Amino acid sequence: MRVLGVEPGFASVGLAFIEILGEGQYRAEHLETIRTKRSTLKTNIWDDNYERCEFIGKRVTELIEHYGPQLVAIEAESWTRTHTDSVVGLGRGVIYGITSSRGLPTSQWHPKQVRQALLNKQQASKSDLEEWLGKHVLDFHRKLTPITKSQQNHAADAAAVAITESYKGQNAKVFMALRAKQGTD
């Protein structure tokens, strides 16, 4: 089973395609942080937003077509109402539109749920999470290293969300049950 994990954003979108090899066995197939840039031209903000959404959409579509995930797990909002909510919502909406148009079962996981599931504590640091991923996910560091250091945490969060879905999510349980049934018919 292959799960696409997403840490949504607008300036930075973390993506992780994680192959579930077996119970408790994972391999990072692809880690990436999509970076959008604000237009340098004098343009209306809605034109800039459109172009940035299009950029995110094209890249996510390319990667989904290439890696063919069966499930998608998206990190839920973890902040209170701020001025960035609306633009992050734009990036989130693009991704939901793409996954739903392809019929991909998609779930949300709050960062505290992810840390609780993987580290057994809700208040773990990002470095704790990355350390866990490095120990439990084959090729994690090799796939993470090419990403700019300041952007690695986005891809790492996406990987953690994907793994959480793989063993805690209802969609993953249904997928695995169907896969097992097909294997016995």
Side-chain angles (χ1 to χ4, degrees):
M1 172 174 62
R2 186 172 297 121
V3 181
L4 165 58
V6 181
E7 189 221 32
F10 197 56
S12 300
V13 178
L15 300 172
F17 289 85
I18 302 295
E19 183 72 25
I20 312 308
L21 303 172
E23 194 166 322
Q25 298 177 323
Y26 314 100
R27 184 172 63 84
E29 287 193 318
H30 181 78
L31 301 176
E32 181 173 323
T33 299
I34 300 171
R35 296 281 296 150
T36 67
K37 293 184 179 166
R38 196 171 280 216
S39 177
T40 57
L41 304 174
K42 272 197 158 210
T43 184
N44 294 318
I45 188 135
W46 51 85
D47 291 334
D48 186 48
N49 290 348
Y50 171 81
E51 290 170 7
R52 292 169 81 181
C53 285
E54 181 181 39
F55 184 78
I56 292 168
K58 282 182 179 178
R59 186 63 183 148
V60 169
T61 298
E62 288 170 3
L63 291 169
I64 286 174
E65 288 174 358
H66 181 77
Y67 289 101
Q70 288 81 31
L71 302 174
V72 179
I74 298 178
E75 186 179 77
E77 293 107 354
S78 61
W79 57 86
T80 56
R81 306 277 183 241
T82 67
H83 69 284
T84 61
D85 286 0
S86 61
V87 292
V88 172
L90 289 171
R92 181 182 302 282
V94 167
I95 294 162
Y96 272 114
I98 292 167
T99 61
S100 68
S101 71
R102 285 170 172 65
L104 291 170
T106 303
S107 61
Q108 278 195 114
W109 292 93
H110 190 278
K112 287 183 178 182
Q113 291 174 302
V114 172
R115 285 169 172 71
Q116 182 67 43
L118 301 184
L119 302 169
N120 208 24
K121 55 184 176 179
Q122 292 183 357
Q123 301 302 322
S125 70
K126 288 196 180 273
S127 61
D128 291 339
L129 187 62
E130 285 187 32
E131 183 179 330
W132 187 95
L133 291 165
K135 288 179 182 175
H136 294 89
V137 180
L138 296 172
D139 296 332
F140 176 74
H141 286 297
R142 188 170 67 79
K143 301 288 183 166
L144 189 66
T145 301
I147 299 171
T148 303
K149 189 82 170 152
S150 66
Q151 298 298 312
Q152 290 179 355
N153 64 321
H154 299 295
D157 286 350
V161 168
I163 292 168
T164 300
E165 172 60 28
S166 77
Y167 73 92
K168 290 284 189 180
Q170 201 58 36
N171 289 333
K173 290 175 186 171
V174 169
F175 181 84
M176 294 305 281
L178 289 172
R179 181 189 242 178
K181 183 177 181 187
Q182 289 172 348
T184 57
D185 288 346

